[in-house]
Amino acid sequence: MAEAWKVVERGGVRDRLGEGTYWSAREQAVYWVDILSPALNRLSLADGNIARWPMPERIGWVIERRDQPGLIAGFQSGFVALDLIDMKVTPLASPEPGMPDNRLNDAKADAEGNIWAGTMPVGADKPVGSFYRFGADHGLKTIDSGYAVTNGPAFSPDGKWLYHTSTTEGLIYRYPFADGEAGPRSVFIRIDQPGWGNPDGMTVDAEGGLWVALWGGSRITRFTPDGKVDRHIALPASQITNITFAGPKLDRMFVTSASEGKADEAYAGALFEVESGAVGLLPNLYAG
């Protein structure tokens, strides 16, 4: 039986902490970060070329801007505008200026063009991270606090639900969502089965299935829109971190992993292309 995955070859390069996958339809390219190196990677699907840019500080994600070129990135110090042509970094907002040991970790934009992003301590050891909405006007709103590791987030295809993860607690929360506002959270999925690991980054498919990367579980898992387990896809690395759909038909899936602390794993830190049998959704863009 053929494997459901293949490694995207990068001349032996492995990410210390691959994360923040993002599909750019404009460029027909997959972006992802290596938080700890720190670096930003870009895979062109047209020719298979991979670029890698060193970053000045830890970087958790990038999201394209809707009305102008360039990217918004989540650095340890906060939200920045990132120009890769001139290698220019412009600070926009710092959610936690009094907490230099915290960093931005994971984010998605909603249909209105806001960015929803979480923070966490660098050591992932204290519940001092928070969940924020970063608006087109660069304004910040605190949604939740008390996280040791924030992850996700994701939106249901109909835009009625926002999902967000507390990785260390094994919890995926769900918030009712409308017009750029999130209602009270509730526990949607609790991952506490032995050997499954902890929920990390995630994305949704066109049918509303929630695909979750399982850190420590060597797999990704699809949950149905009502939160039931649909299927698992095993991967040859234990620390699986993030997922995106890509390609002109959004039927190609790319998954990141981490090599930090896993020198004995041959594929730790690899970027995988996975046969999921699903179709994704175009990512939203930042309106600011």
Side-chain angles (χ1 to χ4, degrees):
M1 181 178 176
E3 297 285 2
W5 54 268
K6 65 179 180 181
V7 173
V8 178
E9 291 298 339
R10 296 189 279 155
V13 174
R14 294 285 185 264
D15 295 315
R16 292 178 61 192
L17 180 50
E19 255 283 9
T21 54
Y22 182 82
W23 166 242
S24 168
R26 287 177 188 166
E27 301 177 21
Q28 293 292 293
V30 176
Y31 282 97
W32 77 101
V33 304
D34 183 350
I35 295 174
L36 298 181
S37 283
L40 174 64
N41 304 296
R42 177 186 178 274
L43 166 66
S44 169
L45 295 194
D47 55 18
N49 285 337
I50 295 175
R52 185 174 170 94
W53 295 269
M55 291 287 114
E57 57 183 277
R58 290 184 178 95
I59 177 174
W61 48 267
V62 295
I63 293 173
E64 287 181 304
R65 307 181 82 165
R66 190 172 69 191
D67 302 318
Q68 54 186 305
L71 302 165
I72 301 297
F75 276 13
Q76 179 159 346
S77 58
F79 299 85
V80 305
L82 180 60
D83 179 351
L84 292 175
I85 296 175
D86 297 324
M87 287 310 300
K88 182 179 179 182
V89 175
T90 305
L92 300 177
S94 177
E96 297 165 348
M99 303 177 73
D101 293 330
N102 270 18
R103 65 172 178 83
L104 284 164
N105 189 50
D106 209 352
K108 293 284 196 319
D110 64 25
E112 288 76 24
N114 305 298
I115 291 176
W116 297 74
T119 62
M120 60 171 282
V122 169
D125 55 349
K126 295 175 288 189
V128 295
S130 295
F131 188 33
Y132 296 94
R133 184 187 67 191
F134 179 57
D137 61 356
H138 302 173
L140 284 163
K141 179 179 180 179
T142 303
I143 307 302
D144 255 337
S145 297
Y147 292 86
V149 180
T150 55
N151 261 304
F155 297 90
S156 63
D158 60 11
K160 293 181 179 180
W161 297 103
L162 164 63
Y163 307 106
H164 189 239
T165 291
S166 176
T167 295
T168 52
E169 296 178 287
L171 300 176
I172 299 175
Y173 295 116
R174 186 172 70 166
Y175 305 73
F177 190 77
D179 301 321
E181 296 289 343
R185 79 181 190 192
S186 60
V187 174
F188 181 51
I189 297 167
R190 186 185 301 273
I191 297 179
D192 54 8
Q193 297 87 340
W196 278 38
N198 294 81
D200 205 302
M202 54 192 178
T203 192
V204 296
D205 61 32
E207 296 180 349
L210 184 65
W211 291 83
V212 180
L214 290 167
W215 176 276
S218 304
R219 71 180 75 187
I220 58 175
T221 295
R222 183 186 190 269
F223 295 87
T224 62
D226 58 357
K228 294 182 172 59
V229 175
D230 176 61
R231 62 186 182 273
H232 304 288
I233 298 177
L235 292 167
S238 60
Q239 297 175 159
I240 306 301
T241 56
N242 209 287
I243 310 167
T244 194
F245 287 97
K249 298 180 181 179
L250 294 168
D251 58 352
R252 298 176 68 178
M253 176 184 280
F254 291 87
V255 177
T256 49
S257 65
S259 63
E260 191 77 354
K262 294 295 177 180
D264 58 329
E265 293 184 7
Y267 296 114
L271 175 70
F272 299 99
E273 183 169 1
V274 176
E275 292 288 343
S276 70
V279 174
L281 300 166
L282 280 172
N284 297 310
L285 310 180
Y286 178 58

